[in-house]
Amino acid sequence: MRKTTQLRRLLESPSLEFIMEAHNGLSAKIVEEAGFKGIWGSGLAISASLGVRDNNEASWTQVLDVLEYMSDATSIPILLDGDTGYGNFNNMRRLVKKLEQRGVGGVCIEDKIFPKTNSFLRGDRQPLADIDEFAGKIKAGKDMQSDDDFLIIARVEAFIAGWGLKEALLRAEAYREAGADAILIHSKLSNSSEVFSFIKEWDNRSPIVLVPTKYYTTPTNDFREHKVSLVIWANHLIRGCVQKMQEITKQIHTDENLLAAEDSIVPVKEIFRLQDDQEIAEAEKRYLSNYAKDPINAVILSASRGKLLGHLTSDIPKTMLKIGKESILARMINHIYEHDIKDITVVTGYKSDKVDLPNLNKVVNEDYEGTGQMVSLSKAIDKLDRTTLLLFGDILFRKYILQFAIDDPEDVVIIVDSKIDTNHSNKSDFVYATEPDVQSYFGETAYVNKVVFSEPNAEFDGEWIGVMKLSAKGADMAREFIRENQDKPEFSNLDVRDMINWFADNGVKVKIQYISGHWVDVNNISDLTLASEF
Ligand code: SPV
Ligand code: MG
């Protein structure tokens, strides 16, 4: 429905309706999200947000530019506080034309003299417009509008200027006859006696609009009983955000850091949401040809200390242990870079501050001691929004191994070493597969039947090395698994193999890419020696 029609329906609906102040695109969006059916484009709030006074210091085209952002950001109508119409009848005509072009639902003009002053400032000294001149301005606006539903509301300032009820009624009637769609009767009293006395005499000649900023203690039901059509909450967003901005700047200035501030403001991702970044992400898929490549995320689980490595990990997590000149993690990251994957997230825990490589997204599993791998992975759940490589942070492997995982088009792929070293007694993730490695030479595809945490044993088909690829769909399924389970108490103990088993048990095929050696994991001192030779 056209915004003009929406606004007219609000005004003419039999029940009391409400619109709320906004002063830019963002606040307009917040008003719409809160459930309001219309927006008040407040002169006070827009001028304040621009850092100028409510005295027509911002030009009418500058106000128009703000309105364009507000209108573009929302699907509900805006009623502009058009002050005095920014000039005479001719300026009013031009204003109406431009507002219609920008999808604004209507305008309210007040019977004062340009440049105006806010009604709550020196009201008694404010001169009122000549009645006939103002009525002509309304008529000019009505004649100019091309959309019949565009609203022109006349705001009567007789009470503000101290002229009383008789003058208010005289003016309102002249404006109604000139074509005004409604009367906004304004008052600066702290009670509603003036506006209610007006409403009584007005006797429903046309819809009534109120701005109860000063008489805010009047119960809303009293407005209903007086058959008010529209109430404007005129400046409460600008006042609310000024308070918050003052608090937060004071805090940051005093603290010289962001710690306390961070907890009392919205996260950056809420800003992205309000900006509708999601839409651009989807549009990129449609319109950017190289987006089809679907950039890949890598998530490395590196939260654990590596207790079996004793004093070597007393001050750093094992992922930061140096093998030759570089840490395990640095080597892994270099491998990942070679596959043109730039978005790498490391889940840290033990001695998280020691994981300080450049260009890393770091998320922390604080409870790394009391939780399993799935809790760590859940910390990076936002990364599971596209093809994702999942890696354990304590392995070294030859480069081709990642290529195997990346190139396989299936949704869930794990790398399994079919060469089982039964002399090696560490417990690890061993796999029962639908096919052993030898069958893959004959073109058979192997899938996981089950992964068990066990000592090595010849009956297994291989050892999962801690590398997994999830396609965008696979990543979706992993995210679903996390969402469905993370509130259950047993989630804290789950490891990635439990998710693999859940996939296998629920009909999601987990493809195996077999390798034979060419990797090591670092669990104890002898692994470290092996790794150095690797
Ligand atoms: C505004 O919001 O700018 C108004 C209403 O004109 S008031 O400030 O209450 O006069
Ligand atoms: Mg105003």
Side-chain angles (χ1 to χ4, degrees):
M1 195 191 297
R2 295 197 311 275
K3 288 182 175 175
T4 47
T5 312
Q6 288 182 48
L7 190 60
R8 180 167 286 279
R9 295 221 176 149
L10 266 191
L11 182 76
E12 293 178 353
S13 96
S15 54
L16 174 64
E17 301 285 356
F18 306 89
I19 63 175
M20 172 93 195
E21 170 258 314
H23 49 272
N24 55 24
L26 182 69
S27 55
K29 210 163 194 173
I30 288 171
V31 168
E32 178 167 10
E33 282 194 348
F36 282 99
K37 293 185 230 162
I39 296 165
W40 172 240
S42 158
L44 172 64
I46 291 173
S47 58
S49 73
L50 293 172
V52 295
R53 288 167 286 204
D54 190 11
N55 292 67
N56 297 116
E57 288 186 344
S59 73
W60 75 279
T61 54
Q62 287 170 327
V63 171
L64 211 58
D65 285 344
V66 174
L67 279 185
E68 184 169 334
Y69 280 106
M70 292 168 62
S71 182
D72 285 351
T74 48
S75 62
I76 54 173
I78 301 168
L79 174 63
L80 171 66
D81 169 7
D83 293 343
T84 58
Y86 311 109
N88 72 2
F89 77 94
N90 192 39
N91 303 86
M92 178 66 178
R93 289 198 298 195
R94 188 129 182 96
L95 175 67
V96 168
K97 182 171 173 177
K98 291 287 149 191
L99 291 177
E100 283 194 317
Q101 286 171 356
R102 282 172 169 71
V104 173
V107 62
C108 174
I109 54 170
E110 62 201 58
D111 56 353
K112 293 202 300 239
I113 309 285
F114 179 89
K116 50 72 57 107
T117 299
N118 186 276
S119 302
F120 301 142
L121 291 169
R122 305 174 285 285
D124 293 346
R125 283 194 268 138
Q126 296 200 23
L128 295 186
D130 173 82
I131 298 185
D132 292 334
E133 192 268 339
F134 194 74
K137 207 185 279 189
I138 292 168
K139 192 165 183 325
K142 292 307 291 178
D143 287 345
M144 174 54 72
Q145 72 185 59
S146 60
D147 179 333
D148 285 349
D149 284 341
F150 185 87
L151 289 184
I152 296 185
I153 297 177
R155 165 164 155 183
V156 176
E157 294 278 290
F159 288 136
I160 297 289
W163 289 101
L165 178 61
K166 204 165 153 233
E167 180 74 13
L169 286 163
L170 184 74
R171 285 173 172 269
E173 181 57 18
Y175 307 156
R176 187 188 69 80
E177 281 172 10
D181 295 290
I183 299 295
L184 188 161
I185 181 73
H186 207 15
S187 169
K188 58 180 191 266
L189 294 189
S190 59
N191 62 64
S192 45
S193 57
E194 276 179 345
V195 294
F196 285 168
S197 68
F198 177 90
I199 289 171
K200 189 157 169 271
E201 294 297 322
W202 186 247
D203 197 21
N204 289 323
R205 275 177 263 172
S206 65
I208 292 290
V209 181
L210 295 182
V211 182
T213 304
K214 292 284 179 182
Y215 46 96
Y216 64 88
T217 55
T218 304
T220 299
N221 231 14
D222 289 6
F223 301 139
R224 282 200 182 87
E225 278 163 12
H226 284 81
K227 301 271 179 302
V228 173
S229 294
L230 192 63
V231 158
I232 298 175
W233 310 123
N235 47 42
H236 302 82
L237 269 197
I238 189 87
R239 288 162 62 194
C241 67
V242 162
Q243 176 174 348
K244 191 70 203 181
M245 288 193 287
Q246 286 169 333
E247 283 168 12
I248 212 77
T249 43
K250 206 165 153 197
Q251 172 119 49
I252 294 173
H253 182 254
T254 310
D255 295 356
E256 295 187 340
N257 68 54
L258 302 173
L259 294 176
E262 188 65 32
D263 288 341
S264 68
I265 54 181
V266 297
V268 178
K269 76 171 183 224
E270 172 61 2
I271 305 295
F272 293 149
R273 188 193 67 76
L274 283 161
Q275 291 173 309
D276 200 9
D277 176 64
Q278 184 61 28
E279 192 279 334
I280 233 184
E282 274 151 29
E284 278 174 355
K285 285 185 205 159
R286 263 177 285 137
Y287 302 122
L288 290 182
S289 52
N290 66 356
Y291 197 91
K293 277 196 209 144
D294 182 16
I296 301 179
N297 279 330
V299 176
I300 304 172
L301 303 184
S302 295
S304 67
R305 167 179 172 174
K307 275 207 185 91
L308 299 175
L309 288 151
H311 71 280
L312 292 176
T313 56
S314 61
D315 199 37
I316 50 171
K318 70 173 163 181
T319 197
M320 293 307 286
L321 280 178
K322 283 205 168 146
I323 310 289
K325 286 201 186 114
E326 281 180 319
S327 63
I328 301 175
L329 186 62
R331 283 167 181 276
M332 184 175 285
I333 286 168
N334 286 338
H335 265 337
I336 296 172
Y337 280 161
E338 283 177 34
H339 294 277
D340 225 15
I341 298 170
K342 299 275 179 332
D343 194 338
I344 304 176
T345 301
V346 178
V347 185
T348 58
Y350 177 73
K351 302 279 181 197
S352 173
D353 53 319
K354 297 287 162 64
V355 182
D356 54 359
L357 299 173
N359 300 327
L360 272 192
N361 306 313
K362 208 161 78 169
V363 290
V364 187
N365 176 7
E366 304 281 358
D367 187 17
Y368 58 90
E369 266 181 315
T371 60
Q373 294 157 354
M374 286 308 296
V375 170
S376 287
L377 181 57
S378 72
K379 304 291 175 191
I381 190 167
D382 289 349
K383 293 289 164 185
L384 297 173
D385 64 345
R386 64 192 62 180
T387 302
T388 304
L389 277 179
L390 177 62
L391 304 111
F392 291 171
D394 60 355
I395 55 176
L396 293 175
F397 46 80
R398 295 246 183 271
K399 185 177 158 188
Y400 75 89
I401 290 177
L402 276 192
Q403 199 67 51
F404 270 18
I406 293 166
D407 288 348
D408 193 311
E410 295 220 21
D411 290 324
V412 187
V413 180
I414 64 171
I415 304 289
V416 172
D417 184 1
S418 61
K419 198 157 74 108
I420 297 176
D421 179 3
T422 43
N423 300 321
H424 186 65
S425 66
N426 287 340
K427 282 182 131 186
S428 193
D429 289 319
F430 288 97
V431 179
Y432 291 109
T434 56
E435 306 289 342
D437 191 11
V438 287
Q439 288 304 112
S440 61
Y441 296 120
F442 304 110
E444 296 289 344
T445 305
Y447 294 99
V448 171
N449 276 334
K450 194 170 182 57
V451 185
V452 292
F453 189 60
S454 158
E455 301 202 328
N457 173 333
E459 78 190 37
F460 296 122
D461 293 296
E463 178 179 356
W464 176 40
I465 73 166
V467 174
M468 177 184 218
K469 188 217 71 175
L470 297 159
S471 68
K473 189 171 160 214
D476 263 355
M477 293 188 290
R479 219 171 42 222
E480 269 314 294
F481 177 82
I482 293 171
R483 290 221 172 100
E484 273 180 26
N485 292 287
Q486 65 185 355
D487 294 331
K488 299 179 185 160
E490 60 270 24
F491 186 73
S492 64
N493 296 320
L494 295 188
D495 284 322
V496 176
R497 72 174 158 276
D498 298 306
M499 180 171 73
I500 295 176
N501 286 332
W502 185 87
F503 283 156
D505 293 346
N506 287 277
V508 178
K509 288 181 159 184
V510 179
K511 167 88 178 281
I512 292 173
Q513 278 285 352
Y514 280 116
I515 56 168
S516 180
H518 294 166
W519 72 288
V520 287
D521 60 348
V522 180
N523 286 312
N524 53 35
I525 308 269
S526 64
D527 290 340
L528 206 55
T529 319
L530 270 177
S532 314
E533 290 160 6
F534 178 72

